[in-house]
Structure formats: structure tokens, C-alpha cells
Amino acid sequence: MLAEREMACVADLFDRAEALGADADQCAAGRWKASMLSGDFEAAWRESDAIRRRGAPDPNRFWRGEDIDEKRVIVRCLHGLGDAVQFLRYAPMLRERAAKLIVEVPPALRELAPYIDGLCAGGGQGGTEVITWGAQAPAEAPEWDVQIEVVELPYFFRTQAHHLPITQDYLRLPRTVLEEVAPNVNTTGNLKAGLVWASGGWNPSRSVPVDLLRPVVAIEGCEFWNLQGESARGQWSRLAGHGCLHDADQCSDTVLKLAALIAQMDLVITPDTLAVHLAGALGVPAWVMLESAADWRWMHQRNDSPWYPSLRLFRQQTPGDWMSVVRQISTELGSFAGNRRRISPSHK
């Protein structure tokens, strides 16, 4: 109830600002975010409707509310990799309505895409064609009638928080793929936890200083695997001597290899970054370390996510306070590992 009142106050402030002459679309965007944070998705879609009605004709011909039934639809994945993984869950629903579905993914996702429901060849009314840009772009661009950006798909389908489509296990990696692209991580029989601490450069405030994670990796009954990518990967050595650590560096160079390693984990601990979406789409349990001003998709004052049932959210109570998050995770992980040993001492 508190969250609803807080978001209503925020919306009221944007109403007042708009009445005083502030930009209508910016005010609508503020109300949109407040509505999404509170879980009132329909109110957010009404703001999207208003923005769309006020908009000038789109020279790039992105979706403006027209019908897509029996048309050739292309989905563009022009935002982050995590956004694409999260919202490509809608591909099967699009295939049921479109005459043909084309999905343009970033080159980094081209190898993973065929394992997302609705993106494999065949099926539906005409199958799905997956393309990318750059060196791997098709020699001839496919013809299409309507294009839509992937993050607009929840709006297109007027998604409700209580009725999200395909909330987990829509990314499936066959055993043959796991064996081909990732090492076998069955080692000591302890709980296998994948660890990420640095988010992408888009929002550094999402990242957790690696040194703060020493109490986490010291938990008995766990072994930790380095899932960190990019330049922060080398910081793994700072945790040496504090726990049972493994550095599967051969699995850090592609998204498919990262997903294959995550699929073999018992748990993933990560900030808001690509690993969250891969774990959620695979149905792998993940504990997400969130900054106090978390993204709208994690909503407000929740420790779970309707987008991904396998996730658990650990939030900063004040900006920059990662220590309280780490302490909570350390406590919970100790209990989790201890219970696991008592219930099934020979598990995996």
C-alpha cells in the first residue's frame, strides 16, 4: 500500500508540472515509470498511448499502433542484450499473428538466439528468420511491412503484471550444446554459485566493488565460478584465498558460453546485468543485487520478480550501501548451503 501511495504522489507531481507548462511527453514518461514501478502496467500503457497519439509520423516506420495480423513483422533489438533476452519471450505470440516474423538481434546474440522459444526455424505460420547486422548481415535485407523495437512488445501486447507470458524456461540449451561450449562444472559436490559483480558501462552505479564480496565467497559448502565479463574480469584474483574459486575463462568470450555455464549453476549472484536475464530465462535461481534506484522492471519494494520466478532481489536501502546487501546475501547463502548439505549431502 505504501508503494502505491508513493507512486501516486510522484504521478501527481508530474501532473502539476505538466499543468505548469512542462513537456507533456516527459511528464508522461515520468508517470509511466511510476506506474511500472508500482505494478500498474495498464496505467503505463495509457501513458504510452498518449505519447504515441501526440507523436509526429515516424520516418523510420516503427510501429505506431497499426494491426500486424497477416503482415511481415520485423523485431529490432536495438537496446541492451539483457533487454533482448527479456522481451524476446514474446516471439511465439508474434508468430501466431504475423504472416512472417523476422528478428534482428545484435551480433553477440546471434549464436544464442536459436535456443529461445519462437526463434528456431519452422513452426507458426511461416517460421522465424533471425538476422543480425555487421559482417554477419544477410546479403539482401528481408522485406517487411511493420517493424517494432523489442522493448515495445510488452506495450504491444498490453501486458499485465499478474499475467506475464512465458516467465521462465523459454531459453533452452540442449545437453549437446552445454558439453560443446562449456566445461563440466561438477567438481566437489558443493553448491555451485556463479558470481558477477560489475554491470556494464551504461550505469556503473549498478556495479558492486569486488572486494566487498569476500564474505560471500568464504561461505562453507559453496564453490564459486567467475562469470564476470569485460575488463572487470581480471579483478577475480582479488578474491583469491577467501574461498573455493574457479575461473572458467574459456566461457567468457561469447553470450552462448556464458549461458551454458549459467545453466550448470545451482545459483547465480549478480547485479542488474545480462547474467540476470540469462539465468531468469533459463529458470536458474539467481540473487540480484540492486541499487536503491533500481530499474523500473524490478518494480518497487519487492524481493521477487514477476518477469522471472527464479529470481530473488536484494536491494540497497540507501544509495551506495552495498555492505548491507552483501551481509544479507552472506547470511542467506550460509543457510541455503547448510540446508542443502543436510537435505542432500551427495547432491551433484
Side-chain angles (χ1 to χ4, degrees), residues 189-201:
N190 289 328
L191 184 146
K192 300 185 296 293
L195 197 59
V196 179
W197 57 92
S199 188

Side-chain angles (χ1 to χ4, degrees), residues 86-109:
Q86 180 175 3
F87 299 124
L88 282 174
R89 70 180 67 205
Y90 289 91
M93 298 167 64
L94 285 170
R95 274 187 17 175
E96 291 178 0
R97 295 180 56 177
K100 180 178 182 180
L101 178 62
I102 306 156
V103 177
E104 184 182 52
V105 299
L109 289 183

Side-chain angles (χ1 to χ4, degrees), residues 131-152:
I131 63 173
T132 188
W133 54 80
Q136 303 176 54
E140 295 186 8
E143 295 182 352
W144 50 268
D145 304 307
V146 180
Q147 65 175 339
I148 186 169
E149 221 288 328
V150 70
V151 299
E152 292 294 315

